[in-house]
Amino acid sequence: MHYVSDFIGLYAFTVKVCEKKWVDKLRYIFYTLRMIRLIATDLDGTLLKTDKSLPEGFLSAAEELLHRGVVLVAASGRQYDNIYETLAPVSDRCYIISENGAINGYADKVTEQRRMRPETVAAVLDFVDRTEGVHAVCCCAHVGAYYDDDPKFISEMSRYYLKRRYVSADEARRSPACKIALYCNGNAERIAKIIPHFDGATSVVSGVDWVDVACEGVTKGSALAEVLKKTGIRAEECLAFGDQFNDREMLEACGAAFVTANASEGMRALFPAIGSCDDGAVLMKIKELCGV
């Protein structure tokens, strides 16, 4: 008779598991029991609030994670030095993926640069010069070179490029750029639809104001793959957060991935959404899954 009771118990458990609340509970258990050895997060629109500040309590949580041996990766379209300063004082123990994977390193040391071909740089800037409302930053290892004096553009650019230099248009075309960031003043989606294909390069929307052009195959995901090779960490041991399509490859490369509620509609269709960046949702999810 005990076999019958066992069967009934198993059946009842199966019915409960099929209910959504139990599915969610099992998913939670799955995440919390797995070993999370690496956490990668985008900054703007994801970890950072709208005012570009870190959520309260993030630095103490990061210190605890680093103490446990968890690898932290900051992945952004921002300039390398800007990311390093934004995450101080924990940035000296973080991997940094900057310019959407074009310039990367560890702590304050840049170890990898993927430079665009000079003819591609020139072609992108030609497009900028003939397209109204578009402005360009040529993103080099430690400086952003620009040749446009539009006040709105300079104000927005200065939020992401701590080290920048005004140059002539000819000098910009000769710069060793790893990425060209196009400021579109709220029209990134529209500009992305009309931007031509540049030989050896790809473009991606990285925010409502920005479209980024970099070498073909260069993404946050490709840069994260290099970090995994260096650390020996497996993809299923990684947790990632993002909000825009420049985060897609990175999120797809990780065992668990989430987007914020303020993420683009397309990204929310691809990945489970948590709360908004202004609610500190990334920090709350890290605390939930890692118990910090």
Side-chain angles (χ1 to χ4, degrees):
M1 291 295 294
H2 65 279
Y3 294 112
V4 175
S5 62
D6 287 348
F7 177 81
I8 293 174
L10 178 61
Y11 174 79
F13 176 77
T14 303
V15 171
K16 287 184 177 181
V17 166
C18 291
E19 298 176 6
K20 184 179 184 303
K21 64 180 181 179
W22 282 96
V23 171
D24 290 342
K25 183 65 175 178
L26 288 176
R27 185 180 293 116
Y28 170 79
I29 293 172
F30 173 71
Y31 284 140
T32 53
L33 289 182
R34 73 179 0 183
M35 175 66 73
I36 295 176
R37 298 180 58 198
L38 181 148
I39 299 175
T41 183
D42 171 53
L43 297 186
D44 299 285
T46 304
L47 177 63
L48 301 181
K49 298 180 180 181
T50 303
D51 64 6
K52 307 306 179 185
S53 66
L54 287 167
E56 185 177 354
F58 173 76
L59 292 176
S60 59
E63 288 285 2
E64 174 61 24
L65 290 167
L66 289 166
H67 178 71
R68 294 183 186 183
V70 176
V71 172
L72 299 184
V73 181
S76 174
R78 289 183 177 222
Q79 186 180 51
Y80 194 100
D81 294 340
N82 181 291
I83 299 171
Y84 184 83
E85 181 170 302
T86 299
L87 294 182
V90 299
S91 49
D92 61 345
R93 287 156 286 164
C94 294
Y95 283 92
I96 294 177
I97 295 172
S98 76
E99 309 292 5
N100 289 332
I103 301 172
N104 315 304
Y106 181 81
D108 61 348
K109 298 293 189 297
V110 171
T111 59
E112 179 187 16
Q113 299 181 49
R114 295 289 302 277
R115 291 182 179 175
M116 300 173 67
R117 293 186 297 198
E119 59 268 29
T120 304
V121 172
V124 175
L125 297 184
D126 287 344
F127 167 78
V128 170
D129 291 345
R130 66 175 181 267
T131 307
E132 185 177 357
V134 180
H135 315 272
V137 185
C138 294
C139 309
C140 308
H142 292 289
V143 69
Y146 67 100
Y147 59 98
D148 192 325
D149 59 2
D150 180 84
K152 175 67 172 176
F153 161 62
I154 293 176
S155 175
E156 287 301 306
M157 174 189 60
S158 65
R159 302 172 73 182
Y160 309 104
Y161 293 88
L162 295 179
K163 297 180 179 179
R164 53 194 183 274
R165 184 163 59 94
Y166 185 82
V167 300
S168 68
D170 287 341
E171 189 176 354
R173 282 166 167 76
R174 297 193 302 270
S175 65
C178 294
K179 187 191 83 174
I180 300 179
L182 307 183
Y183 175 68
C184 310
N185 194 19
N187 294 304
E189 293 285 352
R190 179 180 67 83
I191 295 302
K193 293 177 181 178
I194 66 171
I195 193 169
H197 171 73
F198 301 109
D199 190 33
T202 55
S203 60
V204 64
V205 173
S206 61
V208 295
D209 294 319
W210 297 90
V211 175
D212 291 340
V213 183
C215 293
E216 196 168 20
V218 171
T219 67
K220 292 182 182 181
S222 65
L224 181 62
E226 293 301 315
V227 175
L228 298 188
K229 287 181 183 179
K230 292 175 182 177
T231 60
I233 295 174
R234 296 175 298 173
E236 57 267 28
E237 297 172 318
C238 299
L239 170 65
F241 301 93
D243 73 317
Q244 294 291 339
F245 275 99
N246 61 326
D247 300 312
R248 179 175 180 173
E249 291 85 356
M250 178 177 73
L251 270 59
E252 289 177 336
C254 295
F258 300 90
V259 294
T260 49
N262 50 277
S264 65
E265 182 178 354
M267 288 293 283
R268 283 186 278 113
L270 294 173
F271 302 97
I274 53 178
S276 76
C277 62
D278 285 324
D279 295 331
V282 169
L283 176 58
M284 287 191 290
K285 180 58 70 173
I286 290 173
K287 287 184 172 181
E288 173 190 337
L289 299 183
C290 301
V292 295

